[in-house]
Amino acid sequence: MAQFRAKKLDLSCYINVRVIRDHTKRKVFEQYETERQALRYIIRNTQLPQRTRAQAQLELSQMHAYTRSTQIHNRCIDGGKGRGVFSDFRMARYCFRMNALAGQIPGVKKASW
């Protein structure tokens, strides 16, 4: 959504539309995460009155979709690919292999046995 998109992107990787959208989703999720957790806690708390819990559930359902953690998709920071991405390094398999062989990823070396 354009309403969440920043005027200046702080991306230091490959840029295409999908990467920008994923970056926006990550920023929005980070911004609203505590509010969502508080509402979810209120909804699950059976000690509170039913009206309060229903109101919290209504607020949670009216929040934008980008505030959900399920909207975030791992993308390669080198090529922007969405499949075959190692989540620990945020790189696609091929980019990971090339960077590892070049010695650009600390602590990673080619296995030999």
Side-chain angles (χ1 to χ4, degrees):
M1 294 286 296
Q3 67 187 25
F4 294 123
R5 194 163 300 131
K7 301 285 186 233
K8 183 180 178 189
L9 296 174
D10 54 345
L11 290 170
S12 61
C13 61
Y14 180 79
I15 297 178
N16 64 11
V17 175
R18 291 184 185 97
V19 172
I20 293 171
R21 190 177 304 135
D22 186 58
H23 177 73
T24 304
K25 288 177 183 180
R26 287 177 187 274
K27 289 283 190 182
V28 171
F29 171 71
E30 182 182 337
Q31 183 180 354
Y32 287 95
E33 182 180 15
T34 54
E35 187 177 342
R36 284 187 69 86
Q37 284 180 345
L39 288 172
R40 290 177 67 207
Y41 176 77
I42 291 170
I43 292 167
R44 291 186 177 141
N45 190 350
T46 56
Q47 304 295 324
L48 294 173
Q50 186 63 32
R51 185 177 183 137
T52 307
R53 293 172 60 200
Q55 185 178 4
Q57 194 166 10
L58 183 65
E59 284 181 37
L60 187 65
S61 66
Q62 289 177 343
M63 289 181 86
H64 196 272
Y66 283 6
T67 61
R68 298 185 202 126
S69 63
T70 56
Q71 292 287 317
I72 295 173
H73 188 74
N74 286 333
R75 291 203 160 270
C76 177
I77 57 173
D78 262 0
K81 288 184 60 153
R83 290 179 172 234
V85 177
F86 291 121
S87 58
D88 293 339
F89 300 98
R90 287 187 63 194
M91 285 187 185
R93 295 177 310 216
Y94 184 73
C95 294
F96 176 79
R97 184 172 187 270
M98 289 296 126
N99 286 324
L101 289 175
Q104 296 173 349
I105 303 174
V108 176
K109 66 176 186 173
K110 192 171 188 297
S112 60
W113 60 90

